């Protein structure tokens, strides 16, 4: 228990930060994602005549805090007469690791005179989608059916202006009618159903014409082919049917690169081995081509990781943490081209491990006394240590399927000896963030005496050894892993120079170190750890004072996790390790979450075709228009299959 007479040695020397030149910040965590949605087994609300649902979906970005408002991002096309829609329209999301981004996907049946029927909603945290297997999550819809949301890296690569026409198409609409042709473009993707052709674009319909002259389209290459002009694309020309059962008129396969050449003979439409017409390319012009990234060197290889050892490490290979006498020891469980960025590694299944180190020095105060840093409130309110663990940990847990977290303490006495790394809780790993908090609370009943000095070199060495062991084990089974150490302390480290040496030794480990300063201590020494650079050594440290973000946990998580994507990329890049291929998954492997109760409502009455949020959502402001027809807002005149 707490000893009020214990002292802390917190004022160790440190170099003057002012003598060091400021360094540029690490890579930012901002990234663009491409959202794809589909649904299965929707309720049939079309009635006896129509027999099927005509579904479309609205994507809404939910407001957070005081800085962002709830707004409609856009809507999909309507697909007639289906209860299993696979919408072609996709959406680009701006995501930043550590900052909350929630979206609501509302599914509707298109009704007459804009009296649409709500089939259900799903609210998704984008970070949690990104961390799931196959980057896909599913939710039940209140009206019946399942909604799937998938995100992937958006590879912005400009646009293509495409204009095509058909020549002498074979009629599929009977003797006295003519076909109503439109075309779809499909590409191969990994989806919840495995590898399959997915529709990524649908043209407008040309009525009663076997020589259709389709209007020019401007298509995003990131959505069309992931920016890869050599990717095979299938063009299907179909005869539009109001029943939704469109009739295939013929197909051809090409690439964006080939389209640019505008073959003089056009493309032969083929169906069952027979030619059914010709498609001519009149315009195929790529605009806004991406610049080559000269910073990525495919021949770059890393030096060997600086050797480090722990003489007192047991046989499990990573933990030198002291085990308090009333804890139960348990071992840890095993767990074409240049690498591009953080998203590539995550999509390839790279696991983000989390370790937590907690300061139990005496300067934190008596945990039984209100107002002290470790005070455990009987009403369940979190202290600052718990708030930081919850906020940061929950973000990182999105990327750790095992949900297992080692928790270590430092700066307390057991048996008369100060321990600079000891196990918190009864197990070597806590289960999820709630388990971490439980292990933290259990530590106060383990017989410790809060003491000092503030030394966390052993915790850092422990985390580096664990990170290396986890990555070695992942590689043996064809995977990848990276580790983040969350270190929470109430004061400056007692020996800055020794800590710097420790960080230099482990700097080439698959490890990032986040230090969060709790309380009002002088953290200049900790800032120096963040700002300092050793020649030839990568920067793996980020320091953030909790009080600067105390009233905004989203701001805290954004500030602390900002540099992790760049540090992860840097570690693998130095070794010439490329991201693994996107993880394959099966729809049956996706856990389907319970239905949501959404309070969002929409106004469809505008004559401009723009959908507006009319109520509900965080930080909603009425009478504001969100979206426009040119940015994917729901507009009946712009999509095939829409009833007029």
């Amino acid at each position: 228990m707490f000893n009020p007479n214990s002292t802390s040695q917190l004022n160790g020397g440190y170099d003057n930060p002012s003598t060091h030149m400021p360094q540029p910040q690490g890579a930012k965590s901002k990234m663009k994602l491409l959202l794809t949605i589909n649904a299965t087994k929707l309720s049939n609300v079309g009635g006896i005549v129509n027999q099927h649902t005509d579904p479309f979906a609205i994507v809404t970005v939910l407001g957070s805090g005081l800085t962002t408002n709830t707004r409609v991002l856009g809507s999909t096309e309507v697909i007639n007469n289906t209860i299993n829609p696979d919408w072609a329209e996709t959406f680009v999301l701006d995501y930043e690791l550590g900052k909350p981004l929630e979206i609501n996907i509302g599914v509707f049946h298109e009704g007459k005179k804009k009296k649409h029927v709500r089939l259900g909603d799903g609210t998704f945290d984008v970070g949690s989608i990104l961390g799931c297997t196959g980057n896909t999550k599913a939710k039940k819809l209140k009206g019946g059916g399942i909604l799937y949301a998938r995100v992937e890296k958006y590879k912005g690569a400009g646009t293509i202006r495409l204009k095509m026409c058909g020549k002498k198409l074979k009629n599929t609409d009977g003797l006295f009618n003519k076909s109503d042709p439109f075309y779809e473009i499909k590409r191969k993707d990994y989806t919840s159903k495995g590898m399959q052709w997915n529709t990524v674009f649908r043209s407008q319909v040309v009525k009663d014409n076997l020589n259709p002259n389709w209007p020019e389209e401007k298509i995003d290459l990131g959505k069309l082919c992931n920016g890869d002009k050599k990717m095979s694309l299938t063009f299907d020309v179909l005869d539009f049917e109001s029943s939704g059962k469109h009739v295939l008129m013929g197909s051809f396969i090409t690439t964006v690169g080939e389209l640019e050449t505008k073959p003089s003979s056009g493309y032969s439409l083929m169906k069952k081995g027979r030619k059914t017409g010709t498609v001519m390319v009149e315009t195929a012009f790529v605009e806004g081509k991406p610049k080559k990234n000269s910073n990525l060197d495919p021949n770059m290889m890393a030096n060997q990781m600086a050797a480090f050892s722990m003489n007192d490490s047991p046989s499990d290979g990573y933990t030198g943490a002291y085990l308090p006498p009333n804890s139960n020891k348990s071992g840890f469980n095993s767990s074409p081209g240049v690498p591009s960025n953080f998203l590539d590694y995550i999509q390839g299944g790279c696991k983000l491990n989390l370790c937590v180190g907690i300061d139990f020095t005496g300067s934190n105060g008596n945990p039984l006394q209100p107002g002290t840093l470790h005070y455990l409130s009987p009403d369940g309110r979190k202290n600052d240590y718990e708030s930081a663990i919850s906020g940061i940990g929950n973000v990182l847990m999105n990327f750790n399927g095992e949900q297992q977290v080692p928790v270590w303490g430092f700066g307390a006495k057991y048996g008369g000896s100060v321990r600079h790394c000891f196990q918190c809780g009864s197990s070597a790993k806590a289960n999820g963030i709630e388990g971490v908090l439980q292990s933290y609370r259990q530590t106060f009943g383990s017989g410790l005496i809060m003491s000092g000095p503030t030394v966390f070199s052993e915790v850092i060495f422990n985390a580096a050894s664990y990170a290396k062991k986890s990555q070695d084990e992942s590689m043996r089974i064809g995977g990848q892993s990276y580790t983040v150490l969350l270190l929470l302390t109430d004061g400056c480290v007692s020996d800055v120079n020794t800590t710097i040496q420790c960080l230099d030794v482990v700097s080439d480990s698959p490890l990032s170190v986040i230090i969060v300063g709790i309380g009002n201590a002088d953290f200049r020494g900790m800032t120096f750890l963040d700002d300092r650079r050793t020649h030839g050594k990568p920067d793996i440290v980020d320091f953030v004072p909790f009080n600067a973000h105390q009233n905004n946990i989203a701001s805290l998580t954004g500030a602390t996790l900002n540099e992790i994507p760049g540090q992860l990329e840097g570690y693998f890049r130095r070794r010439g390790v490329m991201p693994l291929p996107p993880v394959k998954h099966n729809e049956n492997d996706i856990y389907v979450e319970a239905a949501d109760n959404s309070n969002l409502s929409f106004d469809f009455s505008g004559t401009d075709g723009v959908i507006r949020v009319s109520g509900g959502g965080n930080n909603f402001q009425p009478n504001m228009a969100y979206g426009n027809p040119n940015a994917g807002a729901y507009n009946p005149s712009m999509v095939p299959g829409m009833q007029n």
Side-chain angles (χ1 to χ4, degrees):
M1 45 192 310
F2 173 74
N3 184 343
N5 298 316
S6 64
T7 59
S8 301
Q9 301 171 12
L10 299 173
N11 297 315
Y14 57 87
D15 294 341
N16 186 349
S18 65
T19 65
H20 296 263
M21 294 296 293
Q23 299 292 332
Q25 291 184 343
K28 299 297 183 181
S29 57
K30 294 179 180 178
M31 55 198 83
K32 286 189 179 293
L33 301 174
L34 190 67
L35 171 68
T36 306
I37 54 180
N38 70 287
T40 60
K41 301 178 181 178
L42 297 178
S43 295
N44 179 10
V45 296
I48 298 175
V49 177
N50 292 331
Q51 296 185 353
H52 274 306
T53 301
D54 302 328
F56 68 95
I58 300 172
V59 178
T60 305
V61 177
L62 300 180
S64 61
L66 300 176
T67 57
T68 59
N69 295 317
T70 295
R71 60 186 177 87
V72 173
L73 184 63
S75 68
T76 68
E77 73 278 16
V78 175
I79 302 180
N80 288 101
N81 289 346
T82 181
I83 59 173
N84 300 295
D86 188 1
W87 291 288
E89 182 66 33
T90 55
F91 305 88
V92 179
L93 303 171
D94 291 311
Y95 175 70
E96 187 169 354
L97 183 66
K99 291 193 175 180
L101 178 60
E102 281 194 326
I103 57 172
N104 177 273
I105 303 174
V107 181
F108 295 82
H109 163 68
E110 186 204 21
K112 293 182 178 181
K113 297 181 180 179
K114 300 182 181 180
K115 294 182 179 179
H116 308 307
V117 179
R118 191 184 218 109
L119 302 177
D121 297 73
T123 298
F124 298 88
D125 175 84
V126 173
S128 68
I129 302 176
L130 189 59
C132 287
T133 300
N135 313 127
T136 304
K137 284 194 92 170
K139 287 199 174 186
K140 292 182 179 179
L141 294 174
K142 203 167 184 180
I146 300 174
L147 175 66
Y148 294 88
R150 178 176 179 264
V151 294
E152 61 182 306
K153 177 184 175 183
Y154 170 70
K155 299 178 181 178
T159 59
I160 182 171
R161 288 196 291 111
L162 181 64
K163 188 179 189 318
M164 302 193 304
C165 63
K167 301 292 185 184
K168 299 180 180 180
L169 305 187
K170 185 176 180 178
N171 189 26
T172 62
D173 214 13
L175 184 61
F176 301 105
N177 297 304
K178 288 184 180 179
S179 296
D180 308 317
F182 70 99
Y183 65 86
E184 294 182 341
I185 308 177
K186 298 180 179 180
R187 78 178 193 199
K188 267 191 174 181
D189 283 320
Y190 288 112
T191 71
S192 59
K193 299 177 182 178
M195 192 68 160
Q196 67 176 27
W197 289 97
N198 279 332
T199 302
V200 291
F201 180 80
R202 289 189 180 97
S203 76
Q204 294 186 31
V205 177
V206 177
K207 293 282 189 179
D208 299 321
N209 201 324
L210 299 181
N211 296 284
N213 188 16
W214 291 292
E216 181 175 292
E217 305 284 0
K218 191 172 184 179
I219 309 172
D220 187 318
L221 289 182
K223 297 180 179 182
L224 182 65
C225 59
N226 271 338
D228 181 2
K229 296 203 300 185
K230 296 181 180 180
M231 176 185 284
S232 293
L233 301 171
T234 293
F235 283 68
D236 289 341
V237 177
L238 302 106
D239 178 15
F240 175 82
E241 300 292 340
S242 60
S243 66
K245 298 178 180 179
H246 311 306
V247 179
L248 180 66
M249 301 177 72
S251 304
F252 65 91
I253 295 177
T254 186
T255 66
V256 169
E258 190 176 79
L259 284 170
E260 285 185 289
T261 68
K262 296 187 292 185
S264 58
S265 60
Y267 291 97
S268 295
L269 279 182
M270 303 298 293
K271 181 178 180 181
K272 297 181 179 179
R274 295 183 178 181
K275 183 176 178 179
T276 56
T278 302
V279 172
M280 303 298 297
V281 179
E282 296 181 357
T283 303
F285 181 69
V286 172
E287 301 174 308
K289 297 179 181 178
K291 296 180 180 179
K292 293 183 179 179
N293 188 345
S294 59
N295 295 323
L296 301 181
D297 180 1
N299 298 316
M300 185 186 301
M301 294 297 289
N303 295 325
Q304 291 295 320
M305 172 180 153
F308 61 90
S309 62
M310 298 182 64
N311 296 329
D312 57 346
S313 294
S315 59
D316 60 13
Y318 76 84
T319 180
Y322 172 77
L323 187 68
N326 49 345
S327 296
N328 296 318
K329 173 79 173 173
S330 62
F332 276 74
N333 297 322
S334 299
S335 45
V338 179
S340 186
N341 67 17
F342 176 78
L343 286 176
D344 293 306
Y345 290 100
I346 295 301
Q347 288 183 177
C350 182
K351 179 180 67 174
L352 278 185
N353 300 310
L354 173 65
C355 306
V356 178
I358 303 172
D359 185 339
F360 287 95
T361 56
S363 57
N364 282 280
N366 186 341
L368 301 178
Q369 180 179 338
T372 57
L373 298 178
H374 278 308
Y375 176 63
L376 302 179
S377 175
D379 63 6
R381 284 183 295 176
K382 291 183 174 68
N383 61 38
D384 289 352
Y385 278 93
E386 293 173 305
S387 295
I389 290 170
S390 297
I392 299 168
N394 279 320
V395 173
L396 293 175
M397 283 295 95
N398 287 327
F399 306 96
N400 185 334
E402 295 180 358
Q403 300 287 298
Q404 297 294 294
V405 183
V407 187
W408 303 307
F410 58 91
K413 286 184 178 180
Y414 284 98
S417 300
V418 177
R419 304 291 179 177
H420 299 304
C421 185
F422 55 87
Q423 177 181 300
C424 295
S426 58
S427 300
K429 280 185 176 180
N431 185 18
I433 297 306
E434 282 304 314
V436 172
L437 295 176
Q438 185 178 8
S439 295
Y440 162 71
R441 296 166 189 144
Q442 287 176 351
T443 303
F444 294 102
S446 64
L448 89 167
I449 297 176
M450 298 172 70
S451 182
T454 303
V455 176
F456 41 68
S457 296
E458 288 187 24
V459 172
I460 294 173
F461 274 124
N462 233 28
S465 188
Y466 169 61
K468 186 175 184 300
K469 181 174 184 286
S470 178
Q471 167 63 353
D472 289 345
E473 290 177 347
S474 294
M475 290 181 66
R476 278 197 292 271
I477 60 174
Q480 295 172 341
S481 75
Y482 189 83
T483 298
V484 177
L485 169 62
L486 173 59
L487 235 169
L488 304 108
T489 181
D490 81 317
C492 180
V493 65
S494 297
D495 190 338
V496 172
N497 291 328
T498 298
T499 306
I500 290 174
Q501 293 173 9
C502 165
L503 290 169
D504 286 345
V505 169
V506 306
S507 63
D508 220 17
S509 305
L511 178 71
S512 291
V513 180
I514 297 172
I515 305 175
V516 178
I518 306 293
N520 297 310
D522 181 356
F523 288 116
R524 284 180 297 167
M526 310 303 290
T527 304
F528 173 73
L529 289 179
D530 189 4
D531 293 340
R532 113 274 174 243
R533 298 290 187 275
T534 301
H535 180 70
K537 298 290 185 181
D539 174 29
I540 65 170
V541 181
D542 193 21
F543 171 76
V544 176
F546 179 84
N547 281 355
H549 309 274
Q550 188 172 22
N551 298 320
N552 189 339
I553 293 299
S555 173
L556 173 71
T557 57
T560 52
L561 302 179
N562 183 51
E563 296 187 9
I564 287 177
Q567 290 168 350
L568 180 149
E569 295 164 25
Y571 168 78
F572 287 113
R573 193 174 297 160
R574 290 191 299 274
R575 281 161 172 70
V577 178
M578 295 183 294
L580 297 171
V583 175
K584 297 180 181 180
H585 63 292
N586 188 284
E587 199 168 87
N588 295 329
D589 297 331
I590 299 173
Y591 173 72
V592 180
E593 298 180 351
D596 289 330
N597 291 315
S598 172
N599 64 346
L600 281 177
S601 56
F602 300 96
D603 178 8
F604 298 98
S605 63
T607 57
D608 54 4
V610 177
I611 300 170
R612 292 168 171 82
V613 178
S614 57
N618 299 329
N619 204 26
F620 168 68
Q621 296 185 15
N623 302 319
M624 293 185 66
Y626 302 105
N628 62 73
N630 297 322
Y634 171 55
N635 188 322
S637 65
M638 297 178 63
V639 289
M642 185 74 71
Q643 295 177 359
N644 295 316

